[in-house]
Tab-separated table of all heavy atoms in Angstrom:
chain	number	residue	atom	x	y	z
P	94	CYS	N	-2.102	-21.614	-4.201
P	94	CYS	CA	-3.062	-21.272	-3.163
P	94	CYS	C	-4.301	-20.697	-3.827
P	94	CYS	O	-4.227	-20.008	-4.841
P	94	CYS	CB	-2.450	-20.262	-2.182
P	94	CYS	SG	-3.481	-20.025	-0.713
P	96	PHE	N	-6.188	-18.647	-2.163
P	96	PHE	CA	-6.393	-17.352	-1.533
P	96	PHE	C	-5.237	-16.423	-1.979
P	96	PHE	O	-4.200	-16.906	-2.397
P	96	PHE	CB	-6.354	-17.452	-0.018
P	96	PHE	CG	-7.617	-17.997	0.604
P	96	PHE	CD1	-8.554	-18.677	-0.137
P	96	PHE	CD2	-7.882	-17.803	1.960
P	96	PHE	CE1	-9.732	-19.185	0.442
P	96	PHE	CE2	-9.034	-18.299	2.541
P	96	PHE	CZ	-9.959	-18.995	1.776
P	98	CYS	N	-4.065	-13.696	0.286
P	98	CYS	CA	-4.106	-12.865	1.479
P	98	CYS	C	-3.124	-11.670	1.321
P	98	CYS	O	-1.998	-11.860	0.880
P	98	CYS	CB	-3.749	-13.682	2.697
P	98	CYS	SG	-4.929	-15.014	2.913
P	100	TYR	N	-1.345	-10.003	3.271
P	100	TYR	CA	-0.071	-9.963	4.005
P	100	TYR	C	0.827	-11.141	3.611
P	100	TYR	O	1.840	-11.359	4.238
P	100	TYR	CB	-0.367	-10.036	5.521
P	100	TYR	CG	-1.147	-11.267	5.882
P	100	TYR	CD1	-0.548	-12.491	6.035
P	100	TYR	CD2	-2.543	-11.194	6.034
P	100	TYR	CE1	-1.260	-13.626	6.316
P	100	TYR	CE2	-3.271	-12.314	6.318
P	100	TYR	CZ	-2.617	-13.533	6.459
P	100	TYR	OH	-3.340	-14.674	6.722
P	101	CYS	N	0.420	-11.885	2.616
P	101	CYS	CA	1.158	-13.121	2.295
P	101	CYS	C	1.717	-13.108	0.879
P	101	CYS	O	2.890	-13.094	0.654
P	101	CYS	CB	0.244	-14.302	2.523
P	101	CYS	SG	1.027	-15.897	2.223
P	139	THR	N	1.759	-28.254	4.880
P	139	THR	CA	1.325	-26.891	4.605
P	139	THR	C	1.505	-26.552	3.157
P	139	THR	O	1.670	-27.425	2.305
P	139	THR	CB	2.061	-25.931	5.610
P	139	THR	OG1	1.594	-24.596	5.389
P	139	THR	CG2	3.568	-25.959	5.485
P	140	GLY	N	1.495	-25.262	2.854
P	140	GLY	CA	1.639	-24.846	1.468
P	140	GLY	C	2.034	-23.378	1.417
P	140	GLY	O	2.552	-22.850	2.388
P	141	GLY	N	1.679	-22.696	0.374
P	141	GLY	CA	0.525	-22.755	-0.474
P	141	GLY	C	-0.686	-23.253	0.359
P	141	GLY	O	-0.694	-23.190	1.575
P	142	GLU	N	-1.642	-23.753	-0.352
P	142	GLU	CA	-2.782	-24.340	0.349
P	142	GLU	C	-2.743	-25.844	0.104
P	142	GLU	O	-2.944	-26.314	-1.017
P	142	GLU	CB	-4.087	-23.726	-0.173
P	142	GLU	CG	-5.340	-24.426	0.284
P	142	GLU	CD	-5.417	-24.672	1.789
P	142	GLU	OE1	-4.987	-23.831	2.594
P	142	GLU	OE2	-5.886	-25.768	2.188
P	143	PRO	N	-2.462	-26.637	1.174
P	143	PRO	CA	-2.260	-28.068	0.961
P	143	PRO	C	-3.468	-28.798	0.369
P	143	PRO	O	-3.318	-29.775	-0.355
P	143	PRO	CB	-1.929	-28.603	2.369
P	143	PRO	CG	-2.390	-27.545	3.329
P	143	PRO	CD	-2.292	-26.256	2.585
P	167	THR	N	-1.744	-27.121	8.226
P	167	THR	CA	-2.219	-25.751	8.256
P	167	THR	C	-2.972	-25.499	6.944
P	167	THR	O	-2.431	-25.755	5.870
P	167	THR	CB	-1.032	-24.762	8.350
P	167	THR	OG1	-0.286	-25.067	9.531
P	167	THR	CG2	-1.529	-23.326	8.474
P	168	THR	N	-4.190	-24.991	7.051
P	168	THR	CA	-5.018	-24.817	5.875
P	168	THR	C	-5.799	-23.509	6.000
P	168	THR	O	-6.019	-23.023	7.117
P	168	THR	CB	-6.016	-25.984	5.710
P	168	THR	OG1	-6.962	-25.689	4.692
P	168	THR	CG2	-6.794	-26.303	6.992
P	169	ASN	N	-6.251	-22.993	4.853
P	169	ASN	CA	-7.138	-21.839	4.942
P	169	ASN	C	-8.580	-22.258	5.195
P	169	ASN	O	-9.455	-21.413	5.373
P	169	ASN	CB	-7.020	-20.952	3.683
P	169	ASN	CG	-7.382	-21.681	2.408
P	169	ASN	OD1	-8.260	-22.526	2.378
P	169	ASN	ND2	-6.699	-21.319	1.329
P	189	ASN	N	-4.594	-26.536	12.047
P	189	ASN	CA	-4.580	-25.078	12.214
P	189	ASN	C	-5.315	-24.488	11.022
P	189	ASN	O	-5.011	-24.838	9.880
P	189	ASN	CB	-3.141	-24.523	12.180
P	189	ASN	CG	-2.334	-24.901	13.381
P	189	ASN	OD1	-2.680	-25.820	14.123
P	189	ASN	ND2	-1.241	-24.210	13.620
P	190	ILE	N	-6.244	-23.594	11.306
P	190	ILE	CA	-7.024	-22.976	10.228
P	190	ILE	C	-6.829	-21.478	10.320
P	190	ILE	O	-6.971	-20.869	11.380
P	190	ILE	CB	-8.518	-23.339	10.380
P	190	ILE	CG1	-8.691	-24.847	10.454
P	190	ILE	CG2	-9.325	-22.755	9.212
P	190	ILE	CD1	-10.069	-25.301	10.923
P	191	SER	N	-6.515	-20.877	9.168
P	191	SER	CA	-6.291	-19.416	9.169
P	191	SER	C	-7.628	-18.703	9.051
P	191	SER	O	-8.498	-19.101	8.274
P	191	SER	CB	-5.398	-19.042	7.987
P	191	SER	OG	-4.174	-19.731	8.100
P	193	ASP	N	-8.680	-14.495	9.262
P	193	ASP	CA	-8.162	-13.185	9.571
P	193	ASP	C	-9.208	-12.139	9.845
P	193	ASP	O	-8.895	-10.981	10.105
P	193	ASP	CB	-7.222	-12.720	8.442
P	193	ASP	CG	-6.020	-13.670	8.327
P	193	ASP	OD1	-5.444	-13.991	9.364
P	193	ASP	OD2	-5.729	-14.113	7.206
P	230	ASN	N	-5.669	-19.437	13.318
P	230	ASN	CA	-4.567	-18.473	13.203
P	230	ASN	C	-5.046	-17.176	12.609
P	230	ASN	O	-5.637	-17.179	11.515
P	230	ASN	CB	-3.498	-19.012	12.243
P	230	ASN	CG	-2.724	-20.188	12.802
P	230	ASN	OD1	-2.806	-20.484	13.985
P	230	ASN	ND2	-1.976	-20.852	11.944
P	231	ALA	N	-4.783	-16.078	13.265
P	231	ALA	CA	-5.069	-14.751	12.686
P	231	ALA	C	-3.786	-13.916	12.645
P	231	ALA	O	-3.015	-13.911	13.603
P	231	ALA	CB	-6.124	-14.025	13.507
P	232	VAL	N	-3.577	-13.295	11.502
P	232	VAL	CA	-2.480	-12.319	11.402
P	232	VAL	C	-3.147	-10.939	11.372
P	232	VAL	O	-4.000	-10.670	10.511
P	232	VAL	CB	-1.671	-12.540	10.087
P	232	VAL	CG1	-0.606	-11.457	9.938
P	232	VAL	CG2	-1.033	-13.922	10.048
P	259	ILE	N	-0.779	-14.291	15.244
P	259	ILE	CA	0.605	-14.340	14.783
P	259	ILE	C	1.028	-12.950	14.352
P	259	ILE	O	0.338	-12.315	13.555
P	259	ILE	CB	0.736	-15.272	13.550
P	259	ILE	CG1	0.110	-16.646	13.827
P	259	ILE	CG2	2.193	-15.411	13.110
P	259	ILE	CD1	0.068	-17.570	12.604
P	260	GLU	N	2.151	-12.472	14.873
P	260	GLU	CA	2.615	-11.147	14.451
P	260	GLU	C	2.979	-11.178	12.953
P	260	GLU	O	3.587	-12.145	12.463
P	260	GLU	CB	3.856	-10.728	15.246
P	260	GLU	CG	3.496	-10.313	16.670
P	260	GLU	CD	4.713	-9.896	17.492
P	260	GLU	OE1	5.868	-10.180	17.073
P	260	GLU	OE2	4.530	-9.320	18.558
P	261	PHE	N	2.543	-10.150	12.283
P	261	PHE	CA	2.842	-9.971	10.846
P	261	PHE	C	4.364	-9.925	10.680
P	261	PHE	O	5.037	-9.132	11.311
P	261	PHE	CB	2.183	-8.651	10.414
P	261	PHE	CG	2.343	-8.269	8.977
P	261	PHE	CD1	2.559	-9.203	7.950
P	261	PHE	CD2	2.232	-6.921	8.599
P	261	PHE	CE1	2.668	-8.807	6.635
P	261	PHE	CE2	2.334	-6.524	7.278
P	261	PHE	CZ	2.563	-7.454	6.294
P	262	MET	N	4.882	-10.785	9.788
P	262	MET	CA	6.319	-10.864	9.583
P	262	MET	C	6.680	-10.346	8.197
P	262	MET	O	5.862	-10.369	7.270
P	262	MET	CB	6.794	-12.311	9.694
P	262	MET	CG	6.728	-12.873	11.096
P	262	MET	SD	7.303	-14.580	11.125
P	262	MET	CE	5.836	-15.490	10.690
P	263	PRO	N	7.935	-9.910	8.013
P	263	PRO	CA	8.350	-9.368	6.713
P	263	PRO	C	8.527	-10.482	5.679
P	263	PRO	O	9.648	-10.751	5.189
P	263	PRO	CB	9.652	-8.631	7.020
P	263	PRO	CG	10.126	-9.192	8.294
P	263	PRO	CD	8.970	-9.723	9.068
P	264	LEU	N	7.445	-11.143	5.350
P	264	LEU	CA	7.471	-12.285	4.393
P	264	LEU	C	6.393	-12.113	3.351
P	264	LEU	O	6.028	-13.073	2.666
P	264	LEU	CB	7.266	-13.597	5.145
P	264	LEU	CG	8.391	-14.060	6.068
P	264	LEU	CD1	7.938	-15.225	6.934
P	264	LEU	CD2	9.597	-14.461	5.235
P	265	ASP	N	5.834	-10.901	3.247
P	265	ASP	CA	4.749	-10.697	2.284
P	265	ASP	C	5.333	-10.420	0.882
P	265	ASP	O	6.358	-9.781	0.733
P	265	ASP	CB	3.854	-9.538	2.706
P	265	ASP	CG	4.651	-8.234	2.925
P	265	ASP	OD1	5.747	-8.301	3.539
P	265	ASP	OD2	4.186	-7.167	2.452
P	394	MET	N	6.381	-16.046	2.133
P	394	MET	CA	5.744	-17.100	2.915
P	394	MET	C	5.129	-18.197	2.042
P	394	MET	O	5.296	-19.394	2.291
P	394	MET	CB	4.694	-16.519	3.823
P	394	MET	CG	4.164	-17.439	4.873
P	394	MET	SD	5.443	-17.934	6.034
P	394	MET	CE	4.659	-17.657	7.593
P	395	VAL	N	4.417	-17.807	0.999
P	395	VAL	CA	3.695	-18.804	0.215
P	395	VAL	C	4.669	-19.757	-0.491
P	395	VAL	O	4.334	-20.882	-0.787
P	395	VAL	CB	2.720	-18.136	-0.765
P	395	VAL	CG1	3.441	-17.558	-1.970
P	395	VAL	CG2	1.625	-19.090	-1.205
P	398	GLY	N	6.272	-22.005	2.877
P	398	GLY	CA	5.400	-22.934	3.594
P	398	GLY	C	5.337	-22.518	5.041
P	398	GLY	O	6.341	-22.537	5.752
P	399	GLY	N	4.145	-22.087	5.466
P	399	GLY	CA	4.033	-21.505	6.830
P	399	GLY	C	3.736	-22.521	7.886
P	399	GLY	O	3.625	-23.702	7.632
V	401	SAM	N1	-2.773	-21.939	3.019
V	401	SAM	C1	-2.593	-22.283	4.397
V	401	SAM	C2	-3.210	-21.264	5.305
V	401	SAM	O1	-3.768	-20.303	4.823
V	401	SAM	O2	-3.127	-21.445	6.511
V	401	SAM	C3	-1.161	-22.635	4.770
V	401	SAM	C4	-0.092	-21.725	4.262
V	401	SAM	S1	-0.038	-20.143	5.039
V	401	SAM	C5	1.410	-19.485	4.255
V	401	SAM	C6	0.448	-20.566	6.675
V	401	SAM	C7	0.293	-19.497	7.736
V	401	SAM	O3	1.218	-18.450	7.478
V	401	SAM	C8	-1.059	-18.864	7.804
V	401	SAM	O4	-1.564	-18.977	9.108
V	401	SAM	C9	-0.808	-17.427	7.444
V	401	SAM	O5	-1.688	-16.578	8.147
V	401	SAM	C10	0.637	-17.253	7.868
V	401	SAM	N2	1.297	-16.136	7.182
V	401	SAM	C11	1.393	-15.924	5.873
V	401	SAM	N3	2.090	-14.794	5.619
V	401	SAM	C12	2.451	-14.276	6.808
V	401	SAM	C13	3.177	-13.129	7.223
V	401	SAM	N4	3.691	-12.256	6.344
V	401	SAM	N5	3.358	-12.937	8.548
V	401	SAM	C14	2.847	-13.811	9.447
V	401	SAM	N6	2.150	-14.918	9.123
V	401	SAM	C15	1.948	-15.149	7.822
Side-chain angles (χ1 to χ4, degrees):
C94 190
F96 283 18
C98 300
Y100 57 80
C101 181
T139 182
E142 170 49 39
T167 302
T168 171
N169 60 35
N189 289 19
I190 305 167
S191 302
D193 298 313
N230 290 347
V232 176
I259 308 173
E260 286 179 346
F261 181 26
M262 291 180 275
L264 290 169
D265 56 316
M394 192 63 132
V395 77

